[in-house]
Amino acid sequence: MIRFSLALTIFILIPMLSLAQSAQAKYGNDFLSTGSGARALGMGGAHVALTNDVTAAYWNVAGLTELQSPQIMYMHSERFSGIVGYDYGAAAMPLKDDKGAVAISFFRQGVDNIANTLNAWDRERDQPKGNVEDYITRFSAADMAVFFSYATQRTERLSYGASAKIIHHKLGPFAQAWGYSLDVGAKYKTDFANFGVSVRDLTTMQKMWDVDEAAFGDYEAQFDSLGATLPTGQNEYVLPSLKVGASKLFPVGEDFLVTAAADFDLLFENRQAYYINVGRMSVEPHIGGEVSYKQVIALRAGLTDFITDPVSGFSVSPTLGMGLNISSFVLDYGFASFAGASSDLGFTHRISLRFDF
């Protein structure tokens, strides 16, 4: 069991640390793709033209201008059947003087309690050390981000803003990285529909990795046996991406409101990941809808992960959700990855609670 755990530890470290070896991190910002707020998950991630609360700092910072009062939110999500935990917290406040708003947001995605067995194996005797539990430590592989956001309303129809973000990756005692970037967004309202655009990592995200070789002890030979070498830290970058979308509200009588939204994520990393690809650009659609009753209870559904796999063909992942508005509290729940190609990775549950002052 110790021999297996040792190999497992090394196999965990190799792919994670390989990100620090490449100049361009093709998926270096994907931990943020979970987003903010359970409402968005229930609508398939179609939110760039719809967001109008504290979560706008992530989806489209321009939406912060629609705040009527200060808001705080906390969200917890579990992915891959609970293996990966994701937490989000944010606070936002409107500024009456300049028709603007400010927000601060925190994100953490991590796999915790990973066993580090590098020091538990006696290589000379080719067996576990005595009192082996004394040599096993635990570590976390975590990705964190902080957003500092500001938005302002230019006209009754146009608003825009920006989010400065700081990224921190930490792989236990073995490696860590810091990065920084800037997101910008705009919303434009027309009599027909609302439109939104968000440019992620406008400045190209710069990340600086630092690897502590001493944390690996004398196990370089174990990496060699697996055809790998101890990594060394270097800088990497994440290319800008674009999220565009539209939303429209359909009042039904005096009590019901139907909302429809659609987004398209445009990535320029040459992913070729079975999405719609045009040269180096991949297009990832998101479609969502919501039916609310007296702005108290809402039911949601959406479609995401439109994938064309050469082996299994076309598939899409549906999402479901609901919301409950009680006094100053808004409770949202989202459920995804129960069908389509994503279902193989386990269910995704997301719960968020917002408080309006």
Side-chain angles (χ1 to χ4, degrees), residues 200-221:
R200 311 284 176 85
D201 302 311
L202 175 67
T203 57
T204 300
M205 175 174 287
Q206 306 289 328
K207 291 198 292 186
M208 291 72 70
W209 278 93
D210 178 39
V211 178
D212 185 0
E213 296 184 14
F216 294 92
D218 59 351
Y219 276 86
E220 184 173 356

Side-chain angles (χ1 to χ4, degrees), residues 42-271:
M43 298 183 67
H47 230 52
V48 70
L50 184 63
T51 184
N52 59 3
D53 60 7
V54 63
T55 64
Y58 170 82
W59 295 105
N60 183 353
V61 63
L64 290 174
T65 60
E66 300 179 41
L67 288 173
Q68 301 299 314
S69 64
Q71 295 180 351
I72 59 174
M73 175 179 281
Y74 172 73
M75 181 192 80
H76 178 73
S77 175
E78 294 186 354
R79 307 174 67 190
F80 310 131
S81 298
I83 296 175
V84 180
Y86 185 94
D87 292 279
Y88 157 79
M93 180 178 65
L95 303 175
K96 296 181 180 179
D97 294 339
D98 64 352
K99 297 182 180 179
V102 294
I104 181 171
S105 312
F106 175 77
F107 306 79
R108 182 189 185 274
Q109 176 178 276
V111 179
D112 300 312
N113 205 33
I114 303 172
N116 176 12
T117 59
L118 290 177
N119 297 318
W121 188 260
D122 189 332
R123 290 191 295 147
E124 295 182 357
R125 298 166 53 212
D126 197 28
Q127 60 181 311
K129 295 180 179 178
N131 300 320
V132 66
E133 292 294 335
D134 296 338
Y135 297 93
I136 298 177
T137 59
R138 302 282 172 172
F139 69 94
S140 297
D143 304 303
M144 292 165 281
V146 178
F147 286 29
F148 300 95
S149 308
Y150 171 77
T152 186
Q153 186 173 343
R154 182 68 176 84
T155 67
E156 291 185 358
R157 294 182 180 271
L158 176 64
S159 59
Y160 51 78
S163 291
K165 59 187 185 184
I166 301 173
I167 306 294
H168 181 53
H169 303 286
K170 186 171 179 61
L171 183 54
F174 305 102
Q176 63 176 336
W178 289 93
Y180 57 91
S181 175
L182 185 71
D183 294 353
V184 298
K187 287 185 69 175
Y188 189 76
K189 298 180 179 180
T190 70
D191 295 334
F192 173 72
N194 295 336
F195 300 91
V197 57
S198 178
V199 183
R200 311 284 176 85
D201 302 311
L202 175 67
T203 57
T204 300
M205 175 174 287
Q206 306 289 328
K207 291 198 292 186
M208 291 72 70
W209 278 93
D210 178 39
V211 178
D212 185 0
E213 296 184 14
F216 294 92
D218 59 351
Y219 276 86
E220 184 173 356
Q222 294 288 343
F223 279 80
D224 292 339
S225 66
L226 295 172
T229 58
L230 286 177
T232 58
Q234 70 177 50
N235 297 347
E236 66 180 15
Y237 62 91
V238 178
L239 294 176
S241 62
L242 187 66
K243 189 176 184 70
V244 297
S247 66
K248 186 173 177 61
L249 306 181
F250 302 89
V252 180
E254 296 181 356
D255 297 333
F256 290 90
L257 179 66
V258 178
T259 303
D263 285 8
F264 294 90
D265 297 347
L266 308 180
L267 307 172
F268 306 93
E269 301 174 338
N270 197 30
R271 292 192 174 191

Side-chain angles (χ1 to χ4, degrees), residues 7-66:
L8 181 61
T9 301
I10 295 176
F11 272 117
I12 289 174
L13 294 175
I14 289 174
M16 290 182 174
L17 289 173
S18 65
L19 288 176
Q21 302 281 47
S22 60
Q24 177 185 332
K26 184 176 290 189
Y27 300 93
N29 210 14
D30 267 17
F31 81 95
L32 287 172
S33 63
T34 299
S36 59
R39 183 191 184 198
L41 175 67
M43 298 183 67
H47 230 52
V48 70
L50 184 63
T51 184
N52 59 3
D53 60 7
V54 63
T55 64
Y58 170 82
W59 295 105
N60 183 353
V61 63
L64 290 174
T65 60
E66 300 179 41

